[in-house]
């Protein structure tokens, strides 16, 4: 058995951070950050968990892997659930399932639902959790539960969640609405059949007949089997499981795990009426949880008050209830503060992402004219070249403003800048939405024409040249006249980006050699009529 304690968890978290920083790919980085978020939750630090979860999502979004993005959203949902932000958690679960379905990722859909079922159980919605897992089991995505089962263990998590959720629901505990309880009762035979199968799978794991994909799931296996033993009324088995769970948690020395094990055993003692033992375990659990795990701390306090009342210790029960009310109020405020803090972290991450997108967009635009720059144009040209290899037509035109140096020399650079802006604006308004004008450098512009054949591309460029000659400059510099020389080249499947641009450049120089203010097409004789 692997030994787990606070120190090993902290060391593992630090290793994951380091691995994320050194990751060779965004996919690898996202995986390390996701694991780091779960470890931070184990350590009771939801703010740190949210930081890692959002960084995981950022890494995932830098790829085209929708399944990876879906798993990142699941992680954020679980972190939000940890501080009872039900709205935020539900939003990210929905986003995760939508992405997984879009990717046709059966395992991704299964992962979302298995984790959402766990989330339901943590809210004591045991009927809801059980019905969700039954729906998954009867869906086309069920086969994903057994995909690479030994390494991934998704089927093991399914059996853990189903055993605990179904046994709890059939015990009659939980806070589900009556309609859900009725739906569960209507499918009772189906639930019990799967419950028998799932608990048998967990029993085999407990006996060492299989290997857990993650040793940190050992307490979850014991908890699920304990609830099942309580459901079937096997008190001796339940007690043995409760003691084993407490001993395991004590050996690991993680306070939250010890508190959870003692709370689980206290619930067993309450069911069998052993109130002194309830007082001992529930009291110790409440101390261990403190305000770091408030919902479980409140559950422990409630059991403690119940134990005092059952023994006729009314004053002690009253005092515990008073303390419980005070603690509940304090915990409610802490929840609100923690949830607000996570929302701030999320908003900051979103704002940072928006800024990053804006900076990336700005890096692809010319600050003077506002149109795409050389880098932006080349990115678009890459897409057109790829489309040409699939049989899609397209053309490139290089446009050079004639005698631009003399414009700067005669009228000044401010006028020269205005010439560039007006030419860019005039041409951009004249072309189709699917086309793009970019500033290629200096007084040169690159015009990308999607889906056009050669005659259409030539006519489009002739129209552009004519519009440039018609621009009114009277308010800028009386007497100024601007024309352009344009060279056109077809984007063909056998040519790369550099070859296409070279042909357009040669055609543009042919236009200048022909007297400027004209259009020439690559590959056609220079004396051909435009």
């Amino acid at each position: 058995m692997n030994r787990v304690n606070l120190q090993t968890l902290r060391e593992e978290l630090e290793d994951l951070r380091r691995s994320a920083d050194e990751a060779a790919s965004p996919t690898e980085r996202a995986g390390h950050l996701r694991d780091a978020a779960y470890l931070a939750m184990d350590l009771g630090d939801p703010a740190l968990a949210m930081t890692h979860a959002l960084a995981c999502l950022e890494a995932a979004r830098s790829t085209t892997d929708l399944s990876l993005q879906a798993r990142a959203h699941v992680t954020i949902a679980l972190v939000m659930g940890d501080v009872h932000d039900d709205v935020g958690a539900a939003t990210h679960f929905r986003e995760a399932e939508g992405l997984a379905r879009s990717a046709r990722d059966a395992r991704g859909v299964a992962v979302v639902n298995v984790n959402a079922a766990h989330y339901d159980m943590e809210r004591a919605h045991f009927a809801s959790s059980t019905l969700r897992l039954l729906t998954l089991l009867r869906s086309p995505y069920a086969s994903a539960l057994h995909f690479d089962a030994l390494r991934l263990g998704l089927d093991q998590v399914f059996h853990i969640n189903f055993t605990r959720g179904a046994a709890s629901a059939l015990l009659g505990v939980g806070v589900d609405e009556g309609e859900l309880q009725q739906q569960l009762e209507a499918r009772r035979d189906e639930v019990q059949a799967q419950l028998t199968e799932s608990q048998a799978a967990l029993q085999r794991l407990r006996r060492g007949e299989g290997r857990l994909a993650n040793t940190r799931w050992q307490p979850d296996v014991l908890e699920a089997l304990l609830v099942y033993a309580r459901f079937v009324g096997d008190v001796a088995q339940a007690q043995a499981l409760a003691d084993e769970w407490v001993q395991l948690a004590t050996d690991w020395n993680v306070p939250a795990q010890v508190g959870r094990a003692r709370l689980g055993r206290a619930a067993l003692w309450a069911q069998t009426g052993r109130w002194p033992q309830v007082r001992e375990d529930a009291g110790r659990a409440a101390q261990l949880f403190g305000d770091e795990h408030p919902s479980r701390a409140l559950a422990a306090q409630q059991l403690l008050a119940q134990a005092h009342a059952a023994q006729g210790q009314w004053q002690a029960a009253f005092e515990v209830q008073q303390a419980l009310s005070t603690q509940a109020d304090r915990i409610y405020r802490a929840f609100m503060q923690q949830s607000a803090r996570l929302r701030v972290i999320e908003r900051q991450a979103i704002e940072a992402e928006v800024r990053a997108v804006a900076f990336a967009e700005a890096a692809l635009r010319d600050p003077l004219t506002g149109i795409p720059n050389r880098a932006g144009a080349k990115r678009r040209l890459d897409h057109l070249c790829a489309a040409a290899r699939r049989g899609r037509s397209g053309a490139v035109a290089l446009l050079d403003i004639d005698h631009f140096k003399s414009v700067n020399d005669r009228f000044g650079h401010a006028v020269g800048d205005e010439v560039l802006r007006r030419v860019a604006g005039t041409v951009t308004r004249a072309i189709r939405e699917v086309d793009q004008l970019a500033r290629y450098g200096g007084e040169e512009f690159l015009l990308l024409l999607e889906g056009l054949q050669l005659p259409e591309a030539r006519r489009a460029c002739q129209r552009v040249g004519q519009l440039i000659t018609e621009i009114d400059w009277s308010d800028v510099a009386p007497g100024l006249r601007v024309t352009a020389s344009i060279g056109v080249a077809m984007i063909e499947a056998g040519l790369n980006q550099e070859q296409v641009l070279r042909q357009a450049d040669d055609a543009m120089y042919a236009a200048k050699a022909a007297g400027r203010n004209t259009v020439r097409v690559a590959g056609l004789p220079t004396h051909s009529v435009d």
Side-chain angles (χ1 to χ4, degrees):
M1 179 187 300
N2 291 352
R3 193 68 174 263
V4 177
N5 55 49
L6 279 176
Q7 185 59 32
T8 59
L9 289 179
R10 291 191 179 107
E11 290 172 357
E12 188 175 345
L13 179 57
E14 189 57 38
D15 288 341
L16 286 169
R17 286 173 174 167
R18 191 178 304 110
S19 297
D21 290 340
E22 298 171 355
S25 68
T27 299
E28 184 182 346
R29 174 174 168 78
H32 291 314
L33 288 166
R34 185 172 60 249
D35 291 343
Y38 290 139
L39 263 181
M41 280 193 285
D42 288 341
L43 289 167
D45 192 338
L48 181 60
M50 178 59 99
T51 300
H52 290 318
L54 288 168
C56 169
L57 180 58
E58 180 184 7
R61 281 178 171 168
S62 69
T63 75
T64 58
D65 189 341
L66 298 183
S67 299
L68 187 66
Q69 295 172 29
R71 293 195 292 275
H73 279 288
V74 168
T75 306
I76 294 175
L78 292 174
V79 176
M80 287 186 156
D82 209 37
V83 296
H84 286 238
D85 187 344
D86 293 347
V87 174
T91 298
H92 283 281
F93 274 129
R94 283 196 301 272
E95 183 74 16
E97 183 157 6
L99 288 167
R101 288 178 182 272
S102 296
R104 300 182 183 276
D105 177 12
R107 181 176 176 272
V109 174
V111 166
V112 173
N113 281 278
V114 168
N115 280 281
H118 172 79
Y119 170 81
D120 287 342
M121 284 195 301
E122 292 301 291
R123 298 293 169 276
H125 295 293
F126 298 115
S128 174
S129 173
T130 303
L131 290 169
R132 181 190 291 274
L133 292 175
L134 273 183
T135 301
L136 171 63
L137 200 59
R138 304 297 179 254
S139 76
Y141 305 104
S143 60
L145 292 171
H146 307 290
F147 174 76
D148 202 2
L150 183 61
R151 182 173 67 87
L152 301 174
L154 186 58
D155 60 328
Q156 296 175 355
V157 180
F158 174 90
H159 290 314
I160 290 169
N161 288 350
F162 194 92
T163 300
R164 180 185 163 206
S168 297
L170 294 175
L171 270 171
V173 298
V175 295
D176 289 286
E177 296 176 357
E179 182 180 348
L180 288 172
Q181 292 286 4
Q182 291 171 7
Q183 292 178 26
L184 186 75
E185 190 60 35
R187 303 176 68 176
R188 189 180 184 93
D189 291 345
E190 185 182 0
V191 171
Q192 287 190 310
Q194 181 57 46
L195 178 55
T196 299
E197 181 180 335
S198 288
Q199 70 84 27
L202 297 186
Q203 290 286 10
R204 289 192 293 273
L205 287 172
R206 183 187 173 220
R207 291 194 300 265
E209 296 174 15
R211 180 173 64 83
L212 269 175
N214 189 329
T215 56
R216 287 204 296 274
W217 298 343
Q218 289 172 327
D220 301 302
V221 170
L222 294 173
E223 179 180 15
L225 289 174
L226 168 58
V227 178
Y228 178 78
R230 288 176 54 197
F231 165 63
V232 298
D234 190 342
V235 177
Q237 174 74 345
Q239 183 171 333
L241 287 162
D243 291 342
E244 183 180 346
W245 184 13
V246 172
Q247 186 60 55
L248 175 65
T250 302
D251 289 343
W252 284 8
N253 195 31
V254 178
Q257 288 283 4
V258 180
R260 185 162 185 157
R262 282 186 172 269
L263 179 58
R265 191 166 66 179
L268 170 63
W269 299 148
Q271 184 179 351
T272 56
R274 299 172 66 175
W275 300 111
Q277 287 87 343
V278 173
R279 285 172 51 194
E280 180 183 350
D281 275 334
R284 180 64 181 134
Q287 293 174 356
L288 288 165
F289 289 135
D291 288 347
E292 287 75 25
H293 301 274
S295 59
R296 294 197 179 100
L298 292 177
Q301 291 277 37
Q302 287 171 338
L303 270 179
L304 184 58
Q306 185 181 351
H308 283 304
Q311 293 181 285
Q313 299 166 347
W314 307 112
Q315 181 61 34
F318 175 72
E319 290 172 357
V320 171
Q321 287 289 359
Q322 276 192 316
L324 184 60
S325 298
T326 302
Q327 185 180 19
D329 181 64
R330 185 174 70 252
I331 286 171
Y332 175 79
R333 289 197 300 271
F335 264 140
M336 294 301 101
Q337 292 169 357
Q338 191 70 274
S339 180
R341 185 180 179 192
L342 294 196
R343 290 285 182 168
V344 168
I345 294 172
E346 183 182 31
R347 187 175 66 252
Q348 288 173 339
I350 291 172
E351 289 172 352
E353 183 179 355
V354 170
R355 285 196 299 272
V357 170
F359 289 148
E361 177 70 18
L364 299 175
R365 288 198 169 271
D366 173 50
L368 176 65
T369 61
I371 63 176
N373 61 15
R374 186 189 190 100
K378 285 197 166 188
R379 177 177 292 188
R380 174 69 174 159
L381 182 54
D382 277 337
H383 292 299
L384 295 183
C385 288
R389 290 191 289 273
R390 298 191 298 271
R392 177 77 170 165
S393 62
V396 164
L398 270 175
L399 181 158
D400 185 86
I401 297 176
D402 296 327
H403 304 297
F404 185 71
K405 183 177 183 299
S406 67
V407 173
N408 283 329
D409 291 343
R410 287 178 58 198
F411 301 102
H413 287 281
V415 171
D417 287 348
E418 182 60 21
V419 166
L420 294 174
R421 281 192 289 267
R422 288 200 184 185
V423 168
T426 299
V427 176
T428 298
R429 287 189 295 273
I431 60 178
R432 303 169 302 164
E433 287 187 6
V434 295
D435 299 331
Q436 184 184 85
L437 179 72
R439 187 177 177 194
Y440 198 61
E443 67 273 22
E444 283 188 356
F445 294 85
L446 185 66
L447 180 57
L448 304 176
L449 303 167
E450 182 176 347
L452 298 186
Q453 298 294 339
L454 179 58
E456 300 166 319
R458 179 166 52 186
R459 284 195 295 271
C461 290
Q462 289 170 338
R463 178 168 175 266
V464 163
Q466 181 62 33
L467 288 172
I468 291 173
T469 66
E470 295 172 357
I471 297 174
D472 181 10
W473 302 105
S474 59
D475 61 322
V476 177
L480 174 62
R481 181 172 181 269
V482 176
T483 63
S485 299
I486 305 173
V488 186
M490 293 302 297
I491 304 173
E492 298 175 349
L495 300 178
N496 60 33
Q497 183 184 111
E498 288 72 23
Q499 290 169 323
V500 173
L501 289 171
R502 190 179 306 118
Q503 288 189 1
D505 191 55
D506 290 343
M508 182 188 70
Y509 276 100
K512 286 185 175 294
R516 295 181 169 83
N517 189 25
T518 189
V519 177
R520 287 291 181 268
V521 177
L524 294 185
T526 56
H527 62 271
S528 62
V529 179
D530 292 328

